[in-house]
Amino acid sequence: MNYSYRRSEISELDEIMKIYVDAQDYMAKNGNPQWPKGFPDRLGVKGGILGGILYSVECGGKLAAVFSAVNYDKDYDGIEGQWLTEGSYLAVHRVAVADDWRGKGAAKYIVDVAAADIAKKRGRRSIRMDTHEKNTSMRGLLIGRGFTECGIIYLIRDETPRVAFEKII
């Protein structure tokens, strides 16, 4: 597949929300409570677009996936375990693949190409990500793409534990 990424645009908010709702349903059907109904919500997604941190992945002019990328995440300050690096990193969150594109390499493209490219452009040494312990799809993807499981972090918003990963680029 010939994927490309770019910053998301407000005109695609409805399409992005459909991807997130479908991802919530997919997770729930697979026993993963990571994203309960309503998360991420429309206001948060709109803020991500307007803030320039939400990215769209396209293939053949169609929206295939979305993700966010930030230079710092306070949730990562405390870890039960140890990060591979100290200092600057790119945190990648809210990775979701459209139903029609699931299993076609869009998530691999995000972690292998898009996130690595953004990190390099921003002068970051590594990529950090986290996921729910029951999100076996994401855990398998990250380990299969060269990420190292570093420990457990706790989300500040609700103290939920997450498995933390890092990859040096």
Side-chain angles (χ1 to χ4, degrees):
M1 297 289 183
N2 190 19
Y3 293 106
S4 63
Y5 77 94
R6 59 173 171 73
R7 283 205 164 105
S8 299
E9 299 172 7
I10 200 69
S11 62
E12 55 193 350
L13 179 59
D14 289 338
E15 193 174 1
I16 291 169
M17 287 309 302
K18 180 176 180 353
I19 291 172
Y20 279 126
V21 169
D22 289 347
Q24 292 163 1
D25 292 343
Y26 177 79
M27 287 183 190
K29 287 177 190 170
N30 288 286
N32 174 7
Q34 183 168 341
W35 288 352
K37 289 284 186 192
F39 182 86
D41 66 8
R42 188 176 185 84
L43 185 60
V45 172
K46 184 177 180 182
I49 294 170
L50 295 175
I53 64 167
L54 194 69
Y55 290 84
S56 295
V57 174
E58 292 181 323
C59 186
K62 297 190 186 288
L63 188 59
V66 292
F67 68 99
S68 65
V70 295
N71 291 337
Y72 169 76
D73 185 332
K74 189 165 181 58
D75 289 331
Y76 292 173
D77 286 352
I79 184 170
E80 291 178 0
Q82 186 171 348
W83 294 111
L84 300 177
T85 65
E86 292 183 22
S88 65
Y89 59 87
L90 183 76
V92 175
H93 295 297
R94 298 182 181 182
V95 174
V97 177
D99 281 349
D100 292 345
W101 295 93
R102 194 167 287 118
K104 297 180 180 176
K108 288 177 184 175
Y109 172 82
I110 290 170
V111 298
D112 286 349
V113 179
D117 187 52
I118 293 167
K120 288 175 186 173
K121 286 178 179 175
R122 294 182 186 181
R124 305 296 164 183
R125 296 182 46 219
S126 68
I127 299 168
R128 292 182 182 175
M129 297 179 72
D130 67 87
T131 194
H132 193 281
E133 68 178 348
K134 292 184 178 179
N135 192 340
T136 56
S137 296
M138 182 57 75
R139 290 179 77 177
L141 171 77
L142 294 176
I143 289 170
R145 307 319 292 171
F147 281 75
T148 300
E149 187 174 317
C150 295
I152 303 293
I153 58 105
Y154 293 86
L155 302 182
I156 293 169
R157 71 174 179 261
D158 61 8
E159 297 184 13
T160 303
R162 294 285 192 256
V163 183
F165 294 85
E166 185 172 23
K167 180 179 181 179
I168 297 172
I169 54 167

